[in-house]
């Protein structure tokens, strides 16, 4: 039974990965800040199946102790400040947790066991104002916010540790990936959640920014499977994980509201304060490398993803009301 350690296990990606690894017979250790509070945040299917251990992204000594105690074969790092609306709120904290902490983990691996395999959840935000579309592993990086800059620093240190210290360390350059477990601060879940509230009479309208902004949206449970596949290869490498298809916020609204027999145009208002102009290059990823080397490709389409999220929010909010 291999052991895997997951940071950020209570989040969308961490919880889906934990489910996947448990199905494959892993012992799953969740590295968390506060054990009891964290357990309450876990999906019900995980509460009695994973082990939680105290962890501090700012404490390399504690990281080393945990790795020496549990001896994981694989580590997946999802712990990070959010990439939602708060990307500019705390540049120092973002730099510490999303960037420098990754180097701490890599150094702890070097100290405890260089055979440990490590996968970092990176982000399309490393491309910033992209100079080409679609974006690949070779697209020049140009971060435009503290979040993207910290993720880029982490990716750079991963490459250095891979090349100089011969660690099996990888970056998964993840494009937008959603699910019913997505936080409400993200536009995809905000739309599905508010659409259901409007349907149930709990809200009257939804204010959004640029409805014509486009994103490459995929299903989170499939993206964490790609990360697992990355750690099963003979050689460590970095991969773009994306669907290769862009959809607008307007399309997302249309699908979400129509699922509830509503017309989004009756309820959605464009808010000038939240409006952001469209990017100069379309933000869409090319996952050809993942398809060729990992034999990975997304299966859940955009329509099915949005419907899945609406259905989950409808069930949840109907039970509460």
């Amino acid at each position: 039974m291999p052991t895997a350690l997951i940071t950020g296990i209570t989040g969308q990606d961490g919880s889906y990965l934990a489910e996947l690894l448990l199905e494959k017979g892993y012992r799953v250790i969740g590295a968390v800040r506060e054990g009891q509070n964290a357990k309450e945040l876990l999906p019900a299917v995980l509460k009695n199946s994973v082990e939680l251990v105290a962890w501090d992204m700012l404490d390399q000594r504690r990281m080393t102790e945990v790795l020496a105690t549990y001896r994981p074969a694989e580590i997946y790092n999802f712990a990070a400040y959010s990439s939602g609306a708060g990307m500019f709120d705390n540049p120092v904290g973002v730099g510490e947790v999303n960037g420098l902490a990754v180097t701490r983990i890599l150094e702890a691996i070097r100290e405890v066991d260089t055979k440990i395999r490590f996968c970092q959840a990176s982000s399309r935000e490393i491309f910033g104002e992209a100079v080409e579309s679609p974006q690949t592993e070779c697209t020049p990086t140009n971060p435009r916010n503290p979040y993207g800059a910290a993720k880029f620093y982490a990716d750079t240190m991963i490459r250095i540790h891979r090349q100089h210290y011969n660690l099996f360390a990888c970056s998964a350059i993840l494009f937008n990936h959603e699910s019913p477990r997505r936080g409400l601060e993200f536009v995809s879940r905000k739309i599905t959640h508010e659409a259901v509230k409007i349907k149930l009479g709990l809200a009257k309208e939804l204010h959004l920014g640029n409805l014509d902004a486009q994103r490459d949206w995929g299903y989170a449970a499939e993206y964490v499977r790609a990360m697992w596949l990355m750690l099963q290869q003979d050689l460590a490498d970095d991969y773009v994980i994306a669907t290769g298809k862009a959809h607008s916020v307007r399309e997302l609204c249309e699908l979400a509201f129509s699922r509830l027999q509503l017309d989004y145009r009756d309820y959605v208002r464009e808010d000038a304060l939240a409006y952001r102009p469209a990017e100069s290059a379309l933000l869409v990823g090319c996952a050809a490398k993942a398809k060729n080397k990992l034999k990975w490709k997304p299966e859940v389409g955009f329509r099915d993803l949005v419907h899945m999220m609406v259905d989950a929010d409808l069930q949840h909010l109907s039970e509460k009301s």
Side-chain angles (χ1 to χ4, degrees):
M1 180 188 294
T3 297
L5 185 141
I6 303 173
T7 72
I9 195 170
T10 60
Q12 168 187 256
D13 295 0
S15 62
Y16 278 122
L17 178 66
E19 286 188 56
L20 174 68
L21 296 182
L22 288 168
E23 289 172 4
K24 294 184 177 297
Y26 281 70
R27 177 191 184 192
V28 176
I29 311 297
V32 298
R33 282 180 295 183
E34 296 181 50
Q36 191 55 44
N37 289 344
K39 188 170 185 178
E40 295 172 3
L41 296 173
L42 286 170
V45 294
L46 295 179
K47 287 186 188 296
N48 298 314
S49 303
V50 302
E51 302 169 56
L52 301 181
V53 60
W55 178 270
D56 186 343
M57 293 295 280
L58 306 183
D59 187 345
Q60 188 176 327
R61 178 176 294 181
R62 177 58 185 164
M63 292 176 177
T64 302
E65 291 172 354
V66 171
L67 299 193
T69 300
Y70 291 92
R71 294 285 173 169
E74 300 171 1
I75 298 175
Y76 299 86
N77 181 42
F78 297 110
Y81 273 80
S82 170
S83 62
M87 286 191 286
F88 286 91
D89 289 350
N90 184 358
V92 173
V94 169
E96 281 276 5
V97 174
N98 295 12
L100 189 56
V102 176
T103 305
R104 293 191 183 99
I105 298 174
L106 294 168
E107 287 297 294
I109 290 171
R110 284 184 63 210
E111 184 174 342
V112 175
D113 182 1
T114 57
K115 292 184 176 63
I116 295 173
R117 296 189 169 203
F118 176 75
C119 190
Q120 160 72 359
S122 186
S123 168
R124 67 161 183 82
E125 288 291 340
I126 65 171
F127 299 123
E129 290 287 355
V131 299
E132 64 181 12
S133 185
Q135 292 87 52
T136 72
E137 295 82 4
C138 298
T139 297
T141 49
N142 182 29
R144 59 181 175 178
N145 55 54
Y147 179 91
K151 288 288 189 180
F152 176 54
Y153 168 80
D155 293 347
T156 303
M157 294 305 293
I158 284 168
R159 284 194 297 274
I160 289 171
H161 280 72
R162 187 166 65 218
Q163 295 165 3
H164 190 75
Y165 302 111
N166 201 32
L167 293 190
F168 196 108
C170 311
S171 290
I173 306 168
L174 305 172
F175 278 65
N176 296 62
H177 48 291
E178 320 300 321
S179 76
R181 298 179 188 174
R182 192 55 143 160
L184 292 173
E185 69 272 21
F186 292 89
V187 68
S188 58
R189 181 77 193 293
K190 179 180 179 180
I191 290 169
T192 63
H193 190 261
E194 291 301 308
V196 169
K197 287 178 66 177
I198 289 169
K199 178 68 174 181
L200 297 177
L202 303 174
K204 294 185 177 180
E205 57 186 21
L206 169 60
H207 290 262
L208 297 171
N210 185 359
L211 295 184
D212 294 316
Q214 297 188 63
R215 292 291 182 268
D216 182 336
W217 276 299
Y219 178 36
E222 295 184 328
Y223 282 39
V224 299
R225 179 175 174 272
M227 296 178 72
W228 175 77
L229 287 169
M230 288 169 61
L231 294 196
Q232 312 314 308
Q233 305 304 302
D234 293 333
L235 297 174
D237 207 350
D238 306 327
Y239 294 86
V240 164
I241 307 301
T243 71
K245 299 177 182 178
H247 298 274
S248 68
V249 175
R250 190 182 304 277
E251 288 179 77
L252 205 162
C253 289
E254 186 173 7
L255 285 170
F257 279 82
S258 63
R259 181 70 168 177
L260 300 164
Q261 292 79 49
L262 299 174
D263 187 334
Y264 81 95
R265 292 171 293 187
D266 294 333
Y267 306 99
V268 175
R269 306 287 178 260
E270 285 192 277
D271 188 344
L273 294 176
Y275 196 92
R276 292 198 313 188
E279 287 80 7
S280 55
L282 188 62
L283 295 175
V284 60
C286 173
K289 181 177 174 181
K291 181 179 180 181
N292 293 334
K293 293 192 175 183
L294 306 179
K295 308 306 178 188
W296 176 89
K297 64 178 181 178
E299 302 288 346
V300 175
F302 183 63
R303 176 186 296 271
D304 290 340
L305 173 60
V306 175
H307 287 177
M308 178 199 308
M309 294 171 67
V310 170
D311 293 349
D313 278 326
L314 181 60
Q315 180 179 349
H316 176 67
L317 286 171
S318 296
E319 291 171 354
K320 287 179 63 177
S321 62

